[in-house]
Amino acid sequence: MSPTQPPTTHLAQEGIHMDAQPDLRNVDGAALLDAVRHALVRYVVLPTSHAADAVTLWIAATHAQPAWAHAPRLVIRGPEKRCGKSRLLDMVEALCWDPFITVNSSSAAVYRSITADPPTMLVDEADTIFGPKADGNEDLRGLLNAGHQRNRPAKRYDAASNRVESIPTFAMAALAGIGSMPDTIEDRAVIIRMRRRAPGETVAPYRHRRDRPGLHALSEQLTVWLRLDMTVLESAEPAMPLEDRAADTWEPLIVVADHAGAHWPDRARSAAVQLTAEAADNGDMSTRVRLLIDCRDAFEDQEAIPTTVLIERLRRDPEAPWREYGPQGLTAMKLGQMLREYEIRSNTMRFPGLGQAKGYCRIDFTDAWDRYCPEPVPPPESPPLRGVAVPAVPESKPQVSAVRLDEVVRLSRTTETSRTSLTSKNEAVTAGTATPPLRVIGGAR
């Protein structure tokens, strides 16, 4: 190789030739996305093919940010160091639109770098912003939370001009770090869970001076291809396989895939469904939703349960957080505060063997269970085949079912004749009761 001859990149070795001045008038969008994806998987071991498709589409979407109503985040996370997070962020930096790396950048500088045609924000070691050691980054956290949607500007008072200044926050952002990001970020993100390379998994070594020019040429082609049709992209209303916020996050990527055509529309929707499902399965459940689920288990088949018994059952599970929830574990006061967010409140009731006590009724939980943690619907049973003899199944040994709480109350009244029943009108025969009337479990209606 002569001293003046440019080095041969790995992309060129694979048959992807990036001329110094490529012809950008007739770009094949599908082939261009294929080339970007090929570059990614050559230098980085991504966890799945869906992840490779998603990162490719996210990078392409950064080149058309003025067309989008939402700016999806790209979260690159791993359980440990050396999982390829920083290398993938290097690839994103080389391929995305106008990268803006926030290392050692002041919040004021970051805010004022966002314009109507925003840069792509890149944050490595995101634990310095969101983790337990984060300090003094409230403005940047607010920017990353608010910038997912248009028309969410930050307001600042300018003393020099004596007026309130409106600073735009809308910009796509990629964040890399160890462990999960806050729910406010991951709920608005395409999440890529990196993992350390296994024996036998190899990648090509990435050299900035040698390999970045080829990646930058791909970036230029993405810019021209997408910005020639910004009006078409802005007005697109693709058929989405997702709903609500997940649909908002994935819509720019789906639009890019539909614009490219060929196999990309199917790949994009498959990646959207798969990665969203993985995020739901592996995401950190909120404490309140975990409480609702654990309360459902604690009720078993009872219609009502004393507060003391509910807390005892919640704290029984060694893997649940309720033993260590506060200095003394979960208390009745903390339980009540958390459940009031769902309009669930305790009531004074009479329980067999316990007498008058505070407790919770199952019926008060059903609406919250249906909305926030519905149980999976079992598949319908197949109807028996006509004309086919079904062999008799030996009768199994009968099992004793749990006794319902209202049945326990009724049984106790047949034996405890000395205890006067509480009437539905709280009449004088029930001495010592006060208004409002007590709720009776299993009493006569």
Side-chain angles (χ1 to χ4, degrees):
M1 180 183 297
S2 64
T4 58
Q5 184 179 358
T8 301
T9 67
H10 287 297
L11 297 177
Q13 293 174 2
E14 292 292 325
I16 303 174
H17 297 284
M18 295 290 104
D19 299 330
Q21 294 180 345
D23 183 6
L24 302 177
R25 292 170 295 181
N26 297 307
V27 178
D28 184 340
L32 179 55
L33 292 180
D34 289 343
V36 172
R37 187 184 189 281
H38 178 83
L40 288 173
V41 299
R42 178 163 185 81
Y43 297 109
V44 182
V45 175
L46 286 159
T48 63
S49 61
H50 292 304
D53 294 338
V55 176
T56 299
L57 292 168
W58 189 91
I59 289 172
T62 65
H63 293 265
Q65 291 189 63
W68 313 134
H70 294 87
R73 278 74 181 97
L74 179 68
V75 168
I76 306 168
R77 50 183 276 197
E80 297 290 343
K81 298 178 180 179
R82 295 167 45 215
C83 288
K85 301 180 300 297
S86 296
R87 175 62 70 234
L88 180 55
L89 199 64
D90 288 340
M91 303 295 293
V92 171
E93 185 273 334
L95 291 163
C96 72
W97 162 262
D98 191 15
F100 182 89
I101 301 176
T102 61
V103 175
N104 295 327
S105 300
S106 67
S107 298
V110 174
Y111 271 93
R112 283 160 178 79
S113 298
I114 299 176
T115 61
D117 191 358
T120 304
M121 297 180 58
L122 305 177
V123 184
D124 199 0
E125 298 181 358
D127 56 320
T128 60
I129 298 176
F130 299 109
K133 298 181 180 179
D135 185 24
N137 289 305
E138 291 82 2
D139 286 343
L140 191 54
R141 288 196 292 270
L143 169 65
L144 292 170
N145 287 329
H148 176 259
Q149 186 173 349
R150 287 196 178 276
N151 303 320
R152 297 293 187 272
K155 300 292 185 178
R156 296 292 184 271
Y157 176 71
D158 186 357
S161 59
N162 193 28
R163 64 184 180 88
V164 175
E165 183 180 8
S166 183
I167 305 174
T169 62
F170 182 83
M172 292 178 67
L175 304 93
I178 296 176
S180 60
M181 305 290 172
D183 292 341
T184 53
I185 295 295
E186 294 203 345
D187 198 35
R188 298 166 171 84
V190 176
I191 302 175
I192 307 299
R193 288 180 169 84
M194 301 295 290
R195 55 193 181 188
R196 191 172 292 178
R197 277 192 290 143
E201 291 181 330
T202 59
V203 292
Y206 177 74
R207 298 293 180 266
H208 182 86
R209 293 183 60 185
R210 180 191 64 195
D211 301 322
R212 195 175 187 280
L215 299 176
H216 189 65
L218 287 173
S219 177
E220 290 179 346
Q221 292 195 41
L222 287 170
T223 300
V224 175
W225 169 53
L226 291 168
R227 299 214 166 202
L228 285 174
D229 297 311
M230 288 287 281
T231 302
V232 175
L233 298 175
E234 186 176 7
S235 60
E237 297 182 1
M240 296 297 298
L242 306 170
E243 296 179 344
D244 302 327
R245 183 164 289 164
D248 295 338
T249 297
W250 279 88
E251 186 179 66
L253 282 67
I254 300 292
V255 171
V256 170
D258 287 349
H259 192 58
H263 52 271
W264 278 100
D266 291 338
R267 295 178 75 110
R269 287 169 174 81
S270 179
V273 172
Q274 182 66 29
L275 294 184
T276 301
E278 290 177 4
D281 291 340
N282 300 323
D284 293 333
M285 187 184 300
S286 72
T287 303
R288 287 190 175 90
V289 172
R290 173 66 186 268
L291 178 62
L292 288 177
I293 295 174
D294 289 352
C295 283
R296 181 166 56 198
D297 295 337
F299 264 92
E300 298 174 349
D301 62 347
Q302 296 175 244
E303 298 299 330
I305 187 173
T307 302
T308 54
V309 176
L310 177 58
I311 293 176
E312 178 186 353
R313 293 180 181 178
L314 290 172
R315 297 174 65 175
R316 185 186 303 167
D317 185 356
E319 296 185 359
W322 314 122
R323 286 185 178 183
E324 309 297 330
Y325 194 81
Q328 301 176 350
L330 183 66
T331 63
M333 180 179 293
K334 286 290 185 181
L335 176 66
Q337 291 174 351
M338 297 171 71
L339 293 178
R340 274 196 294 272
E341 295 291 332
Y342 302 102
E343 301 297 328
I344 300 172
R345 291 174 171 81
S346 62
N347 296 279
T348 303
M349 294 173 275
R350 186 179 297 280
F351 296 92
L354 185 63
Q356 180 177 324
K358 287 285 188 178
Y360 289 90
C361 291
R362 172 187 291 273
I363 194 173
D364 295 332
F365 283 80
T366 53
D367 182 70
W369 287 337
D370 291 341
R371 293 178 185 274
Y372 299 100
C373 52
E375 291 186 293
V377 179
E381 296 183 0
S382 301
L385 298 177
R386 295 183 178 180
V388 178
V390 179
V393 179
E395 184 177 356
S396 59
K397 183 178 180 180
Q399 298 182 1
V400 179
S401 59
V403 181
R404 301 174 66 87
L405 185 59
D406 54 354
E407 295 173 347
V408 173
V409 175
R410 285 196 293 270
L411 289 173
S412 65
R413 288 176 180 169
T414 61
T415 56
E416 297 179 11
T417 56
S418 60
R419 176 176 293 180
T420 305
S421 300
L422 181 65
T423 67
S424 60
K425 297 182 180 180
N426 197 24
E427 296 173 349
V429 295
T430 309
T433 58
T435 57
L438 300 178
R439 297 181 63 173
V440 184
I441 305 305
R445 297 183 182 275

